[in-house]
Amino acid sequence: MPTQKQLDNLKKGASHRFTKENAADMGRKGQKASVEAAKRNRSIASSARQIHDTPVTEGSDVDRLAQLGIKDDPTNADRVAAAVFDKAAAGDMAAVDKFEQLVEKAAAE
């Protein structure tokens, strides 16, 4: 059963509509929040790209990637691909699908 507040929210009429000033104010607030969210998302994407392109320098990871055939300047992206491959080889079907997507993307480029 709806509460009285919920029923009041459904009322129509002039007293329940936004005024031009109120609507403009709400629009400005929404636009400002949208811009801030976009800035945060760009910052996160930039950080992810930077991590993605960072070279791997740890001995065991470099050795593991060399065993898989990645010998020239391996990056964290190569580590991710190797981890997906390991899971796919162990029988994880979601990893198999993801690995196939990676291979198809590489073939397209």
Side-chain angles (χ1 to χ4, degrees), residues 49-89:
R49 249 182 261 112
Q50 191 174 9
I51 292 168
H52 179 272
D53 296 336
T54 300
V56 177
T57 56
E58 298 172 14
S60 62
D61 287 338
V62 172
D63 294 341
R64 172 71 177 121
L65 292 171
Q67 289 175 348
L68 292 173
I70 303 168
K71 297 179 182 181
D72 298 330
D73 301 323
T75 64
N76 284 326
D78 298 321
R79 289 172 74 182
V80 171
V84 171
F85 171 77
D86 289 341
K87 283 193 164 205

PDB file of all heavy atoms in Angstrom, residues 49-89:
ATOM      1  N   ARG A  49      45.219   3.664 -18.168  1.00  0.00           N
ATOM      2  CA  ARG A  49      46.091   3.615 -19.337  1.00  0.00           C
ATOM      3  C   ARG A  49      47.563   3.612 -18.928  1.00  0.00           C
ATOM      4  O   ARG A  49      48.387   2.911 -19.504  1.00  0.00           O
ATOM      5  CB  ARG A  49      45.815   4.806 -20.251  1.00  0.00           C
ATOM      6  CG  ARG A  49      45.166   4.419 -21.553  1.00  0.00           C
ATOM      7  CD  ARG A  49      44.939   5.606 -22.468  1.00  0.00           C
ATOM      8  NE  ARG A  49      43.541   6.009 -22.317  1.00  0.00           N
ATOM      9  CZ  ARG A  49      43.117   7.126 -21.763  1.00  0.00           C
ATOM     10  NH1 ARG A  49      43.949   8.021 -21.336  1.00  0.00           N
ATOM     11  NH2 ARG A  49      41.838   7.378 -21.656  1.00  0.00           N
ATOM     12  N   GLN A  50      47.877   4.412 -17.923  1.00  0.00           N
ATOM     13  CA  GLN A  50      49.258   4.495 -17.454  1.00  0.00           C
ATOM     14  C   GLN A  50      49.703   3.157 -16.858  1.00  0.00           C
ATOM     15  O   GLN A  50      50.805   2.684 -17.134  1.00  0.00           O
ATOM     16  CB  GLN A  50      49.377   5.610 -16.411  1.00  0.00           C
ATOM     17  CG  GLN A  50      50.779   5.964 -16.045  1.00  0.00           C
ATOM     18  CD  GLN A  50      50.816   7.182 -15.121  1.00  0.00           C
ATOM     19  OE1 GLN A  50      49.796   7.646 -14.641  1.00  0.00           O
ATOM     20  NE2 GLN A  50      52.002   7.682 -14.885  1.00  0.00           N
ATOM     21  N   ILE A  51      48.845   2.536 -16.056  1.00  0.00           N
ATOM     22  CA  ILE A  51      49.165   1.226 -15.482  1.00  0.00           C
ATOM     23  C   ILE A  51      49.292   0.190 -16.596  1.00  0.00           C
ATOM     24  O   ILE A  51      50.201  -0.645 -16.591  1.00  0.00           O
ATOM     25  CB  ILE A  51      48.085   0.808 -14.461  1.00  0.00           C
ATOM     26  CG1 ILE A  51      48.143   1.724 -13.244  1.00  0.00           C
ATOM     27  CG2 ILE A  51      48.246  -0.651 -14.060  1.00  0.00           C
ATOM     28  CD1 ILE A  51      46.953   1.582 -12.304  1.00  0.00           C
ATOM     29  N   HIS A  52      48.393   0.250 -17.553  1.00  0.00           N
ATOM     30  CA  HIS A  52      48.371  -0.680 -18.686  1.00  0.00           C
ATOM     31  C   HIS A  52      49.690  -0.663 -19.439  1.00  0.00           C
ATOM     32  O   HIS A  52      50.213  -1.711 -19.833  1.00  0.00           O
ATOM     33  CB  HIS A  52      47.210  -0.274 -19.609  1.00  0.00           C
ATOM     34  CG  HIS A  52      47.064  -1.100 -20.834  1.00  0.00           C
ATOM     35  ND1 HIS A  52      47.727  -0.813 -22.002  1.00  0.00           N
ATOM     36  CD2 HIS A  52      46.317  -2.196 -21.092  1.00  0.00           C
ATOM     37  CE1 HIS A  52      47.398  -1.698 -22.925  1.00  0.00           C
ATOM     38  NE2 HIS A  52      46.533  -2.545 -22.390  1.00  0.00           N
ATOM     39  N   ASP A  53      50.267   0.516 -19.620  1.00  0.00           N
ATOM     40  CA  ASP A  53      51.470   0.665 -20.436  1.00  0.00           C
ATOM     41  C   ASP A  53      52.777   0.587 -19.647  1.00  0.00           C
ATOM     42  O   ASP A  53      53.852   0.670 -20.234  1.00  0.00           O
ATOM     43  CB  ASP A  53      51.423   1.997 -21.187  1.00  0.00           C
ATOM     44  CG  ASP A  53      50.274   2.043 -22.177  1.00  0.00           C
ATOM     45  OD1 ASP A  53      49.822   0.974 -22.622  1.00  0.00           O
ATOM     46  OD2 ASP A  53      49.821   3.165 -22.507  1.00  0.00           O
ATOM     47  N   THR A  54      52.698   0.419 -18.338  1.00  0.00           N
ATOM     48  CA  THR A  54      53.902   0.373 -17.512  1.00  0.00           C
ATOM     49  C   THR A  54      54.672  -0.924 -17.774  1.00  0.00           C
ATOM     50  O   THR A  54      54.096  -2.009 -17.769  1.00  0.00           O
ATOM     51  CB  THR A  54      53.532   0.449 -16.020  1.00  0.00           C
ATOM     52  OG1 THR A  54      52.847   1.677 -15.792  1.00  0.00           O
ATOM     53  CG2 THR A  54      54.759   0.385 -15.137  1.00  0.00           C
ATOM     54  N   PRO A  55      55.975  -0.825 -18.001  1.00  0.00           N
ATOM     55  CA  PRO A  55      56.773  -2.032 -18.250  1.00  0.00           C
ATOM     56  C   PRO A  55      56.873  -2.910 -17.002  1.00  0.00           C
ATOM     57  O   PRO A  55      56.864  -2.430 -15.876  1.00  0.00           O
ATOM     58  CB  PRO A  55      58.159  -1.488 -18.604  1.00  0.00           C
ATOM     59  CG  PRO A  55      57.977  -0.047 -18.888  1.00  0.00           C
ATOM     60  CD  PRO A  55      56.756   0.393 -18.155  1.00  0.00           C
ATOM     61  N   VAL A  56      56.962  -4.206 -17.245  1.00  0.00           N
ATOM     62  CA  VAL A  56      57.141  -5.178 -16.161  1.00  0.00           C
ATOM     63  C   VAL A  56      58.636  -5.329 -15.925  1.00  0.00           C
ATOM     64  O   VAL A  56      59.404  -5.545 -16.852  1.00  0.00           O
ATOM     65  CB  VAL A  56      56.529  -6.548 -16.544  1.00  0.00           C
ATOM     66  CG1 VAL A  56      56.783  -7.575 -15.467  1.00  0.00           C
ATOM     67  CG2 VAL A  56      55.044  -6.401 -16.797  1.00  0.00           C
ATOM     68  N   THR A  57      59.032  -5.201 -14.664  1.00  0.00           N
ATOM     69  CA  THR A  57      60.456  -5.298 -14.356  1.00  0.00           C
ATOM     70  C   THR A  57      60.767  -6.410 -13.365  1.00  0.00           C
ATOM     71  O   THR A  57      61.933  -6.715 -13.138  1.00  0.00           O
ATOM     72  CB  THR A  57      60.969  -3.961 -13.766  1.00  0.00           C
ATOM     73  OG1 THR A  57      60.180  -3.642 -12.621  1.00  0.00           O
ATOM     74  CG2 THR A  57      60.860  -2.848 -14.786  1.00  0.00           C
ATOM     75  N   GLU A  58      59.737  -7.011 -12.778  1.00  0.00           N
ATOM     76  CA  GLU A  58      59.958  -8.073 -11.795  1.00  0.00           C
ATOM     77  C   GLU A  58      60.434  -9.342 -12.502  1.00  0.00           C
ATOM     78  O   GLU A  58      59.880  -9.740 -13.528  1.00  0.00           O
ATOM     79  CB  GLU A  58      58.668  -8.357 -11.032  1.00  0.00           C
ATOM     80  CG  GLU A  58      58.164  -7.162 -10.245  1.00  0.00           C
ATOM     81  CD  GLU A  58      56.786  -7.402  -9.654  1.00  0.00           C
ATOM     82  OE1 GLU A  58      56.340  -8.561  -9.632  1.00  0.00           O
ATOM     83  OE2 GLU A  58      56.160  -6.430  -9.233  1.00  0.00           O
ATOM     84  N   GLY A  59      61.452  -9.985 -11.933  1.00  0.00           N
ATOM     85  CA  GLY A  59      62.073 -11.137 -12.562  1.00  0.00           C
ATOM     86  C   GLY A  59      61.143 -12.288 -12.871  1.00  0.00           C
ATOM     87  O   GLY A  59      61.132 -12.809 -13.980  1.00  0.00           O
ATOM     88  N   SER A  60      60.325 -12.701 -11.906  1.00  0.00           N
ATOM     89  CA  SER A  60      59.476 -13.875 -12.118  1.00  0.00           C
ATOM     90  C   SER A  60      58.427 -13.614 -13.191  1.00  0.00           C
ATOM     91  O   SER A  60      58.132 -14.502 -13.999  1.00  0.00           O
ATOM     92  CB  SER A  60      58.806 -14.306 -10.808  1.00  0.00           C
ATOM     93  OG  SER A  60      57.959 -13.277 -10.330  1.00  0.00           O
ATOM     94  N   ASP A  61      57.872 -12.413 -13.220  1.00  0.00           N
ATOM     95  CA  ASP A  61      56.876 -12.090 -14.237  1.00  0.00           C
ATOM     96  C   ASP A  61      57.517 -12.007 -15.615  1.00  0.00           C
ATOM     97  O   ASP A  61      56.936 -12.464 -16.600  1.00  0.00           O
ATOM     98  CB  ASP A  61      56.161 -10.777 -13.908  1.00  0.00           C
ATOM     99  CG  ASP A  61      55.185 -10.923 -12.748  1.00  0.00           C
ATOM    100  OD1 ASP A  61      54.756 -12.057 -12.481  1.00  0.00           O
ATOM    101  OD2 ASP A  61      54.857  -9.900 -12.129  1.00  0.00           O
ATOM    102  N   VAL A  62      58.698 -11.432 -15.697  1.00  0.00           N
ATOM    103  CA  VAL A  62      59.403 -11.339 -16.976  1.00  0.00           C
ATOM    104  C   VAL A  62      59.719 -12.746 -17.480  1.00  0.00           C
ATOM    105  O   VAL A  62      59.535 -13.050 -18.666  1.00  0.00           O
ATOM    106  CB  VAL A  62      60.686 -10.488 -16.846  1.00  0.00           C
ATOM    107  CG1 VAL A  62      61.516 -10.554 -18.116  1.00  0.00           C
ATOM    108  CG2 VAL A  62      60.339  -9.055 -16.510  1.00  0.00           C
ATOM    109  N   ASP A  63      60.161 -13.623 -16.577  1.00  0.00           N
ATOM    110  CA  ASP A  63      60.474 -14.999 -16.955  1.00  0.00           C
ATOM    111  C   ASP A  63      59.227 -15.735 -17.430  1.00  0.00           C
ATOM    112  O   ASP A  63      59.261 -16.457 -18.429  1.00  0.00           O
ATOM    113  CB  ASP A  63      61.103 -15.752 -15.783  1.00  0.00           C
ATOM    114  CG  ASP A  63      62.464 -15.196 -15.391  1.00  0.00           C
ATOM    115  OD1 ASP A  63      63.078 -14.487 -16.221  1.00  0.00           O
ATOM    116  OD2 ASP A  63      62.899 -15.459 -14.252  1.00  0.00           O
ATOM    117  N   ARG A  64      58.123 -15.551 -16.716  1.00  0.00           N
ATOM    118  CA  ARG A  64      56.862 -16.220 -17.087  1.00  0.00           C
ATOM    119  C   ARG A  64      56.388 -15.743 -18.452  1.00  0.00           C
ATOM    120  O   ARG A  64      55.967 -16.534 -19.283  1.00  0.00           O
ATOM    121  CB  ARG A  64      55.791 -15.930 -16.015  1.00  0.00           C
ATOM    122  CG  ARG A  64      54.410 -16.391 -16.374  1.00  0.00           C
ATOM    123  CD  ARG A  64      54.299 -17.906 -16.331  1.00  0.00           C
ATOM    124  NE  ARG A  64      52.933 -18.279 -16.617  1.00  0.00           N
ATOM    125  CZ  ARG A  64      52.570 -19.053 -17.635  1.00  0.00           C
ATOM    126  NH1 ARG A  64      53.475 -19.560 -18.422  1.00  0.00           N
ATOM    127  NH2 ARG A  64      51.307 -19.335 -17.828  1.00  0.00           N
ATOM    128  N   LEU A  65      56.473 -14.450 -18.705  1.00  0.00           N
ATOM    129  CA  LEU A  65      56.056 -13.915 -20.001  1.00  0.00           C
ATOM    130  C   LEU A  65      56.995 -14.388 -21.113  1.00  0.00           C
ATOM    131  O   LEU A  65      56.540 -14.659 -22.229  1.00  0.00           O
ATOM    132  CB  LEU A  65      55.993 -12.392 -19.946  1.00  0.00           C
ATOM    133  CG  LEU A  65      54.885 -11.812 -19.041  1.00  0.00           C
ATOM    134  CD1 LEU A  65      55.052 -10.321 -18.889  1.00  0.00           C
ATOM    135  CD2 LEU A  65      53.516 -12.154 -19.584  1.00  0.00           C
ATOM    136  N   ALA A  66      58.278 -14.523 -20.812  1.00  0.00           N
ATOM    137  CA  ALA A  66      59.226 -15.031 -21.810  1.00  0.00           C
ATOM    138  C   ALA A  66      58.891 -16.477 -22.165  1.00  0.00           C
ATOM    139  O   ALA A  66      59.004 -16.871 -23.332  1.00  0.00           O
ATOM    140  CB  ALA A  66      60.650 -14.924 -21.281  1.00  0.00           C
ATOM    141  N   GLN A  67      58.451 -17.272 -21.189  1.00  0.00           N
ATOM    142  CA  GLN A  67      58.036 -18.653 -21.456  1.00  0.00           C
ATOM    143  C   GLN A  67      56.849 -18.696 -22.416  1.00  0.00           C
ATOM    144  O   GLN A  67      56.713 -19.627 -23.201  1.00  0.00           O
ATOM    145  CB  GLN A  67      57.654 -19.370 -20.168  1.00  0.00           C
ATOM    146  CG  GLN A  67      58.800 -19.701 -19.265  1.00  0.00           C
ATOM    147  CD  GLN A  67      58.330 -20.304 -17.946  1.00  0.00           C
ATOM    148  OE1 GLN A  67      57.152 -20.269 -17.626  1.00  0.00           O
ATOM    149  NE2 GLN A  67      59.273 -20.853 -17.191  1.00  0.00           N
ATOM    150  N   LEU A  68      55.988 -17.677 -22.339  1.00  0.00           N
ATOM    151  CA  LEU A  68      54.822 -17.611 -23.215  1.00  0.00           C
ATOM    152  C   LEU A  68      55.140 -16.971 -24.562  1.00  0.00           C
ATOM    153  O   LEU A  68      54.268 -16.860 -25.420  1.00  0.00           O
ATOM    154  CB  LEU A  68      53.693 -16.829 -22.531  1.00  0.00           C
ATOM    155  CG  LEU A  68      53.067 -17.498 -21.314  1.00  0.00           C
ATOM    156  CD1 LEU A  68      52.098 -16.554 -20.625  1.00  0.00           C
ATOM    157  CD2 LEU A  68      52.357 -18.779 -21.711  1.00  0.00           C
ATOM    158  N   GLY A  69      56.394 -16.512 -24.746  1.00  0.00           N
ATOM    159  CA  GLY A  69      56.797 -15.949 -26.019  1.00  0.00           C
ATOM    160  C   GLY A  69      56.816 -14.436 -26.068  1.00  0.00           C
ATOM    161  O   GLY A  69      57.025 -13.850 -27.118  1.00  0.00           O
ATOM    162  N   ILE A  70      56.591 -13.781 -24.938  1.00  0.00           N
ATOM    163  CA  ILE A  70      56.610 -12.322 -24.885  1.00  0.00           C
ATOM    164  C   ILE A  70      57.948 -11.912 -24.286  1.00  0.00           C
ATOM    165  O   ILE A  70      58.120 -11.922 -23.076  1.00  0.00           O
ATOM    166  CB  ILE A  70      55.445 -11.776 -24.038  1.00  0.00           C
ATOM    167  CG1 ILE A  70      54.122 -12.278 -24.586  1.00  0.00           C
ATOM    168  CG2 ILE A  70      55.472 -10.253 -24.001  1.00  0.00           C
ATOM    169  CD1 ILE A  70      52.943 -12.041 -23.673  1.00  0.00           C
ATOM    170  N   LYS A  71      58.896 -11.566 -25.163  1.00  0.00           N
ATOM    171  CA  LYS A  71      60.254 -11.306 -24.692  1.00  0.00           C
ATOM    172  C   LYS A  71      60.640  -9.834 -24.743  1.00  0.00           C
ATOM    173  O   LYS A  71      61.475  -9.387 -23.993  1.00  0.00           O
ATOM    174  CB  LYS A  71      61.247 -12.123 -25.518  1.00  0.00           C
ATOM    175  CG  LYS A  71      61.051 -13.610 -25.355  1.00  0.00           C
ATOM    176  CD  LYS A  71      62.004 -14.411 -26.178  1.00  0.00           C
ATOM    177  CE  LYS A  71      61.700 -15.895 -25.987  1.00  0.00           C
ATOM    178  NZ  LYS A  71      62.579 -16.753 -26.722  1.00  0.00           N
ATOM    179  N   ASP A  72      60.051  -9.080 -25.652  1.00  0.00           N
ATOM    180  CA  ASP A  72      60.457  -7.690 -25.852  1.00  0.00           C
ATOM    181  C   ASP A  72      59.610  -6.744 -25.022  1.00  0.00           C
ATOM    182  O   ASP A  72      58.430  -6.538 -25.304  1.00  0.00           O
ATOM    183  CB  ASP A  72      60.347  -7.310 -27.324  1.00  0.00           C
ATOM    184  CG  ASP A  72      61.268  -8.142 -28.208  1.00  0.00           C
ATOM    185  OD1 ASP A  72      62.325  -8.559 -27.703  1.00  0.00           O
ATOM    186  OD2 ASP A  72      60.914  -8.377 -29.373  1.00  0.00           O
ATOM    187  N   ASP A  73      60.201  -6.149 -23.999  1.00  0.00           N
ATOM    188  CA  ASP A  73      59.576  -5.117 -23.177  1.00  0.00           C
ATOM    189  C   ASP A  73      58.130  -5.437 -22.767  1.00  0.00           C
ATOM    190  O   ASP A  73      57.189  -4.760 -23.176  1.00  0.00           O
ATOM    191  CB  ASP A  73      59.596  -3.765 -23.909  1.00  0.00           C
ATOM    192  CG  ASP A  73      61.009  -3.326 -24.257  1.00  0.00           C
ATOM    193  OD1 ASP A  73      61.903  -3.581 -23.423  1.00  0.00           O
ATOM    194  OD2 ASP A  73      61.203  -2.738 -25.333  1.00  0.00           O
ATOM    195  N   PRO A  74      57.948  -6.464 -21.959  1.00  0.00           N
ATOM    196  CA  PRO A  74      56.575  -6.791 -21.541  1.00  0.00           C
ATOM    197  C   PRO A  74      55.983  -5.683 -20.662  1.00  0.00           C
ATOM    198  O   PRO A  74      56.687  -5.004 -19.923  1.00  0.00           O
ATOM    199  CB  PRO A  74      56.742  -8.086 -20.750  1.00  0.00           C
ATOM    200  CG  PRO A  74      58.162  -8.075 -20.286  1.00  0.00           C
ATOM    201  CD  PRO A  74      58.934  -7.326 -21.335  1.00  0.00           C
ATOM    202  N   THR A  75      54.668  -5.490 -20.797  1.00  0.00           N
ATOM    203  CA  THR A  75      53.962  -4.480 -20.006  1.00  0.00           C
ATOM    204  C   THR A  75      52.923  -5.173 -19.133  1.00  0.00           C
ATOM    205  O   THR A  75      52.719  -6.390 -19.221  1.00  0.00           O
ATOM    206  CB  THR A  75      53.242  -3.468 -20.916  1.00  0.00           C
ATOM    207  OG1 THR A  75      52.238  -4.152 -21.654  1.00  0.00           O
ATOM    208  CG2 THR A  75      54.213  -2.776 -21.854  1.00  0.00           C
ATOM    209  N   ASN A  76      52.255  -4.372 -18.306  1.00  0.00           N
ATOM    210  CA  ASN A  76      51.185  -4.922 -17.473  1.00  0.00           C
ATOM    211  C   ASN A  76      50.056  -5.492 -18.322  1.00  0.00           C
ATOM    212  O   ASN A  76      49.378  -6.424 -17.909  1.00  0.00           O
ATOM    213  CB  ASN A  76      50.656  -3.859 -16.515  1.00  0.00           C
ATOM    214  CG  ASN A  76      51.599  -3.632 -15.358  1.00  0.00           C
ATOM    215  OD1 ASN A  76      52.256  -4.545 -14.884  1.00  0.00           O
ATOM    216  ND2 ASN A  76      51.684  -2.393 -14.902  1.00  0.00           N
ATOM    217  N   ALA A  77      49.840  -4.953 -19.516  1.00  0.00           N
ATOM    218  CA  ALA A  77      48.824  -5.499 -20.417  1.00  0.00           C
ATOM    219  C   ALA A  77      49.174  -6.938 -20.787  1.00  0.00           C
ATOM    220  O   ALA A  77      48.282  -7.799 -20.877  1.00  0.00           O
ATOM    221  CB  ALA A  77      48.718  -4.636 -21.667  1.00  0.00           C
ATOM    222  N   ASP A  78      50.468  -7.200 -20.977  1.00  0.00           N
ATOM    223  CA  ASP A  78      50.905  -8.565 -21.273  1.00  0.00           C
ATOM    224  C   ASP A  78      50.671  -9.483 -20.070  1.00  0.00           C
ATOM    225  O   ASP A  78      50.314 -10.657 -20.234  1.00  0.00           O
ATOM    226  CB  ASP A  78      52.384  -8.578 -21.661  1.00  0.00           C
ATOM    227  CG  ASP A  78      52.659  -7.777 -22.919  1.00  0.00           C
ATOM    228  OD1 ASP A  78      51.837  -7.840 -23.848  1.00  0.00           O
ATOM    229  OD2 ASP A  78      53.698  -7.080 -22.952  1.00  0.00           O
ATOM    230  N   ARG A  79      50.861  -8.939 -18.870  1.00  0.00           N
ATOM    231  CA  ARG A  79      50.604  -9.734 -17.661  1.00  0.00           C
ATOM    232  C   ARG A  79      49.134 -10.118 -17.567  1.00  0.00           C
ATOM    233  O   ARG A  79      48.797 -11.240 -17.192  1.00  0.00           O
ATOM    234  CB  ARG A  79      50.995  -8.939 -16.410  1.00  0.00           C
ATOM    235  CG  ARG A  79      52.478  -8.758 -16.239  1.00  0.00           C
ATOM    236  CD  ARG A  79      52.800  -7.817 -15.120  1.00  0.00           C
ATOM    237  NE  ARG A  79      52.565  -8.449 -13.833  1.00  0.00           N
ATOM    238  CZ  ARG A  79      52.733  -7.839 -12.668  1.00  0.00           C
ATOM    239  NH1 ARG A  79      53.129  -6.588 -12.637  1.00  0.00           N
ATOM    240  NH2 ARG A  79      52.499  -8.468 -11.556  1.00  0.00           N
ATOM    241  N   VAL A  80      48.261  -9.171 -17.905  1.00  0.00           N
ATOM    242  CA  VAL A  80      46.824  -9.447 -17.867  1.00  0.00           C
ATOM    243  C   VAL A  80      46.464 -10.518 -18.893  1.00  0.00           C
ATOM    244  O   VAL A  80      45.730 -11.460 -18.600  1.00  0.00           O
ATOM    245  CB  VAL A  80      46.004  -8.156 -18.098  1.00  0.00           C
ATOM    246  CG1 VAL A  80      44.537  -8.465 -18.289  1.00  0.00           C
ATOM    247  CG2 VAL A  80      46.205  -7.194 -16.935  1.00  0.00           C
ATOM    248  N   ALA A  81      47.001 -10.374 -20.107  1.00  0.00           N
ATOM    249  CA  ALA A  81      46.726 -11.363 -21.147  1.00  0.00           C
ATOM    250  C   ALA A  81      47.214 -12.746 -20.718  1.00  0.00           C
ATOM    251  O   ALA A  81      46.523 -13.752 -20.937  1.00  0.00           O
ATOM    252  CB  ALA A  81      47.387 -10.945 -22.455  1.00  0.00           C
ATOM    253  N   ALA A  82      48.381 -12.804 -20.089  1.00  0.00           N
ATOM    254  CA  ALA A  82      48.907 -14.088 -19.617  1.00  0.00           C
ATOM    255  C   ALA A  82      48.024 -14.670 -18.519  1.00  0.00           C
ATOM    256  O   ALA A  82      47.772 -15.884 -18.486  1.00  0.00           O
ATOM    257  CB  ALA A  82      50.341 -13.911 -19.114  1.00  0.00           C
ATOM    258  N   ALA A  83      47.533 -13.825 -17.626  1.00  0.00           N
ATOM    259  CA  ALA A  83      46.658 -14.304 -16.550  1.00  0.00           C
ATOM    260  C   ALA A  83      45.348 -14.841 -17.118  1.00  0.00           C
ATOM    261  O   ALA A  83      44.837 -15.871 -16.674  1.00  0.00           O
ATOM    262  CB  ALA A  83      46.394 -13.188 -15.545  1.00  0.00           C
ATOM    263  N   VAL A  84      44.806 -14.147 -18.118  1.00  0.00           N
ATOM    264  CA  VAL A  84      43.573 -14.617 -18.762  1.00  0.00           C
ATOM    265  C   VAL A  84      43.846 -15.946 -19.453  1.00  0.00           C
ATOM    266  O   VAL A  84      43.041 -16.883 -19.374  1.00  0.00           O
ATOM    267  CB  VAL A  84      43.030 -13.561 -19.757  1.00  0.00           C
ATOM    268  CG1 VAL A  84      41.891 -14.123 -20.585  1.00  0.00           C
ATOM    269  CG2 VAL A  84      42.575 -12.323 -19.013  1.00  0.00           C
ATOM    270  N   PHE A  85      44.987 -16.042 -20.129  1.00  0.00           N
ATOM    271  CA  PHE A  85      45.354 -17.298 -20.790  1.00  0.00           C
ATOM    272  C   PHE A  85      45.455 -18.443 -19.786  1.00  0.00           C
ATOM    273  O   PHE A  85      44.962 -19.543 -20.036  1.00  0.00           O
ATOM    274  CB  PHE A  85      46.677 -17.140 -21.543  1.00  0.00           C
ATOM    275  CG  PHE A  85      47.203 -18.443 -22.068  1.00  0.00           C
ATOM    276  CD1 PHE A  85      46.649 -19.020 -23.193  1.00  0.00           C
ATOM    277  CD2 PHE A  85      48.230 -19.096 -21.417  1.00  0.00           C
ATOM    278  CE1 PHE A  85      47.112 -20.249 -23.669  1.00  0.00           C
ATOM    279  CE2 PHE A  85      48.701 -20.321 -21.873  1.00  0.00           C
ATOM    280  CZ  PHE A  85      48.149 -20.893 -23.010  1.00  0.00           C
ATOM    281  N   ASP A  86      46.107 -18.189 -18.638  1.00  0.00           N
ATOM    282  CA  ASP A  86      46.256 -19.234 -17.615  1.00  0.00           C
ATOM    283  C   ASP A  86      44.893 -19.735 -17.140  1.00  0.00           C
ATOM    284  O   ASP A  86      44.677 -20.935 -16.990  1.00  0.00           O
ATOM    285  CB  ASP A  86      47.069 -18.717 -16.429  1.00  0.00           C
ATOM    286  CG  ASP A  86      48.545 -18.538 -16.771  1.00  0.00           C
ATOM    287  OD1 ASP A  86      49.010 -19.136 -17.769  1.00  0.00           O
ATOM    288  OD2 ASP A  86      49.227 -17.788 -16.045  1.00  0.00           O
ATOM    289  N   LYS A  87      43.966 -18.807 -16.903  1.00  0.00           N
ATOM    290  CA  LYS A  87      42.621 -19.206 -16.461  1.00  0.00           C
ATOM    291  C   LYS A  87      41.896 -19.966 -17.571  1.00  0.00           C
ATOM    292  O   LYS A  87      41.204 -20.940 -17.309  1.00  0.00           O
ATOM    293  CB  LYS A  87      41.802 -17.997 -16.030  1.00  0.00           C
ATOM    294  CG  LYS A  87      42.166 -17.484 -14.667  1.00  0.00           C
ATOM    295  CD  LYS A  87      41.117 -16.520 -14.187  1.00  0.00           C
ATOM    296  CE  LYS A  87      41.310 -16.347 -12.692  1.00  0.00           C
ATOM    297  NZ  LYS A  87      40.099 -15.950 -12.040  1.00  0.00           N
ATOM    298  N   ALA A  88      42.048 -19.511 -18.807  1.00  0.00           N
ATOM    299  CA  ALA A  88      41.402 -20.187 -19.936  1.00  0.00           C
ATOM    300  C   ALA A  88      41.954 -21.602 -20.097  1.00  0.00           C
ATOM    301  O   ALA A  88      41.198 -22.552 -20.334  1.00  0.00           O
ATOM    302  CB  ALA A  88      41.602 -19.379 -21.216  1.00  0.00           C
ATOM    303  N   ALA A  89      43.262 -21.733 -19.946  1.00  0.00           N
ATOM    304  CA  ALA A  89      43.891 -23.050 -20.068  1.00  0.00           C
ATOM    305  C   ALA A  89      43.438 -23.990 -18.955  1.00  0.00           C
ATOM    306  O   ALA A  89      43.393 -25.211 -19.138  1.00  0.00           O
ATOM    307  CB  ALA A  89      45.407 -22.900 -20.050  1.00  0.00           C
TER     308      ALA A  89
END
